[in-house]
Amino acid sequence: QVQLQESGPGLVKPSETLSLTCTVSAYSINSGYYWGWIRQPPGKGLEWIGTIYHSGNTYYNPSLKSRVTVSVDTSKNQFSLQLRSATAADTAVYYCARAVWVGATGVWFDSWGQGTLVTVSS
Amino acid sequence: SYVLTQPPSVSVAPGQTARIPCGGNNIGSKTVHWYQQKPGQAPVLVVYDDRDRPSGIPERFSGSNSGNTATLTVSRVEAGDEADYYCQVWDSSSDHVVFGGGTKLTVL
């Protein structure tokens, strides 16, 4: 059973970079699947941030694309999120998840981390 | 960009059937996935590819998709089904994931 665990600072100052890492257990990132980040502001719905394949192929939410980088480190079986120029609007629970990609029919997330709350505040 | 519309809330009595709609322009041409999220927990996939269930998800959860509406149906609703439910698609025209706004299922 694959397990995902988010880690990173719980508090980020405005204008700084929000950085999170997702460590994957019981499954090798190199073996396939895509890997993604989703966030949820307090009391609100889910927002997709971006998705990456182990080869480095990435897809990003157009509304965040200019500030986001998702990367993968296969040697550590981890993937990461960087969100630059953070503002209070980026305060949210951030989830990492495994994504199943089936050709033209699209992608869904079959396993999720427990989530980590990141607050952007001075 | 593609938009998915869900009602904020649906209420149903225990033992009855809950139907949660997800509207989108010609959504029937896309594949829809559904997640259940209980308070303080991560989302859980309950239906993928319009109507398939992951291992461990009760048969009471089913999905359909046609025209401009996809529907998650929860039969014989139990108190433990009370949660937020989100629909999700892949928008191939812009290459990105889209989530609906979520529907809170209340068991009366």
Side-chain angles (χ1 to χ4, degrees):
Chain A
Q1 181 83 356
V2 63
Q3 293 188 323
L4 300 96
Q5 179 67 59
E6 306 87 352
S7 60
L11 181 63
V12 174
K13 289 183 167 54
S15 80
E16 295 189 346
T17 296
L18 184 159
S19 297
L20 295 173
T21 296
C22 182
T23 300
V24 179
S25 305
Y27 189 86
S28 172
I29 282 182
N30 270 330
S31 296
Y33 288 97
Y34 282 71
W35 307 89
W37 289 97
I38 301 102
R39 70 180 183 179
Q40 185 172 36
K44 297 189 177 181
L46 302 171
E47 179 181 31
W48 173 68
I49 300 172
T51 302
I52 190 167
Y53 194 55
H54 67 77
S55 63
N57 192 26
T58 53
Y59 298 86
Y60 294 128
N61 186 324
S63 68
L64 298 170
K65 187 173 184 177
S66 64
R67 298 194 293 132
V68 168
T69 300
V70 177
S71 58
V72 63
D73 186 338
T74 55
S75 67
K76 296 182 179 179
N77 220 40
Q78 296 174 335
F79 61 103
S80 299
L81 168 69
Q82 285 196 317
L83 180 62
R84 296 173 289 279
S85 304
T87 71
D90 295 314
T91 294
V93 175
Y94 285 75
Y95 296 100
C96 60
R98 188 175 75 173
V100 178
W101 200 296
V102 182
T105 65
V107 59
W108 63 90
F109 302 96
D110 71 340
S111 298
W112 296 62
Q114 67 184 26
T116 186
L117 174 62
V118 179
T119 302
V120 180
S121 175
S122 55
Chain B
S1 61
Y2 195 76
V3 176
L4 295 175
T5 301
Q6 298 182 242
S9 62
V10 167
S11 299
V12 65
Q16 299 304 303
T17 297
R19 295 178 178 84
I20 300 173
C22 174
N25 184 32
N26 197 25
I27 195 174
S29 67
K30 303 181 182 299
T31 52
V32 181
H33 322 292
W34 291 91
Y35 304 87
Q36 175 194 69
Q37 186 180 35
K38 296 182 179 179
Q41 298 184 19
V44 172
L45 181 71
V46 293
V47 167
Y48 66 96
D49 260 359
D50 292 340
R51 60 181 66 248
D52 291 333
R53 282 184 312 277
S55 172
I57 299 301
E59 291 183 5
R60 300 185 298 103
F61 289 84
S62 62
S64 62
N65 184 18
S66 179
N68 292 317
T69 305
T71 303
L72 175 69
T73 300
V74 186
S75 304
R76 302 181 299 283
V77 166
E78 303 173 357
D81 298 330
E82 192 162 278
D84 293 325
Y85 291 85
Y86 295 89
C87 57
Q88 177 250 306
V89 300
W90 170 256
D91 180 18
S92 57
S93 66
S94 58
D95 278 351
H96 72 274
V97 171
V98 180
F99 285 99
T103 296
K104 180 174 179 58
L105 176 62
T106 299
V107 181
L108 301 171

